[in-house]
Amino acid sequence: MKSNRTITFFLVLFFSVLFTSGTNSQPTEKIYADCLLQIQNGFVHNSQPMKALLTGSEVAEFRTTLFEGNIYRIATCSPTDKRIWFSVYDTNNNILFSSTHQNFSSSWDFKMEGNMECIIEAGLMPGSGDSGLALVLIGFKNAQ
C-alpha cells in the first residue's frame, strides 16, 4: 500500500513539473521565434540566445567572441514590446556601438576586421516598467 502512494506521489510530481515547465517556456519560445525574424537576409543565428530578466535599471552583461571575415547582426527583443538599449564594448571597455547613439535601434549590422572578444550590455529603457525580459540574438554571415 505504501509503495502505491509513493508511485502516485512521484507521478503527480512528475506531471506537475512537466506541465509547469512547458507553460513557463511558451512566452520565451514565442519571443525567441519573433526575434529570429530579425536575423534574416542571409544571416545564420549562432544558436546562443542571451537572455536576462531585468528589474528597474539593472544591466545584463553577455560575452561573446566575434571572428574576422564575418558580418554580424545583433538583435534585441522583449516579449511585451519593452524597448531595450544595448551597447557593445571590447575587453578594454572601449565602446564599439551603442543603440542610445542610434535612436535606440533594436539591431545593428557590422563587419569584423579582426577576431575579438566583446561584451554586450543590455537593459530596459527608462519608463519601460518595473521588470522585463531582455533577449539578445547574434546572427552572422560570411563577408564575401
Side-chain angles (χ1 to χ4, degrees):
M1 186 73 158
K2 200 171 198 178
S3 78
N4 284 342
R5 287 184 190 171
T6 304
I7 291 172
T8 303
F9 172 76
F10 283 113
L11 284 174
V12 169
L13 180 65
F14 172 76
F15 285 111
S16 66
V17 168
L18 181 66
F19 177 74
T20 303
S21 66
T23 56
N24 287 341
S25 66
Q26 288 175 352
T28 303
E29 289 173 8
K30 181 178 179 348
I31 189 60
Y32 178 75
D34 291 345
C35 205
L36 275 176
L37 296 175
Q38 291 189 56
I39 307 288
Q40 292 183 351
N41 302 324
F43 287 92
V44 176
H45 178 247
N46 72 351
S47 300
Q48 297 176 351
M50 297 174 269
K51 60 184 175 181
L53 181 58
L54 303 172
T55 57
S57 60
E58 286 182 323
V59 176
E61 182 178 294
F62 308 104
R63 291 184 175 262
T64 189
T65 302
L66 305 174
F67 299 98
E68 180 176 9
N70 288 322
I71 297 174
Y72 288 91
R73 176 174 291 164
I74 296 176
T76 60
C77 300
S78 176
T80 55
D81 293 330
K82 293 184 180 194
R83 297 195 52 185
I84 299 168
W85 63 264
F86 72 100
S87 298
V88 181
Y89 300 88
D90 65 14
T91 54
N92 294 321
N93 213 28
N94 296 310
I95 192 160
L96 305 174
F97 176 83
S98 177
S99 66
T100 59
H101 300 140
Q102 301 296 322
N103 199 26
F104 299 103
S105 171
S106 63
S107 66
W108 178 45
D109 292 358
F110 58 99
K111 181 180 177 183
M112 287 304 297
E113 298 298 332
N115 298 336
M116 180 184 303
E117 183 179 349
C118 293
I119 301 164
I120 301 171
E121 291 184 346
L124 300 175
M125 294 286 296
S128 291
D130 294 336
S131 67
L133 177 71
L135 179 64
V136 178
L137 299 182
I138 299 176
F140 66 94
K141 65 181 177 181
N142 195 299
Q144 298 164 13

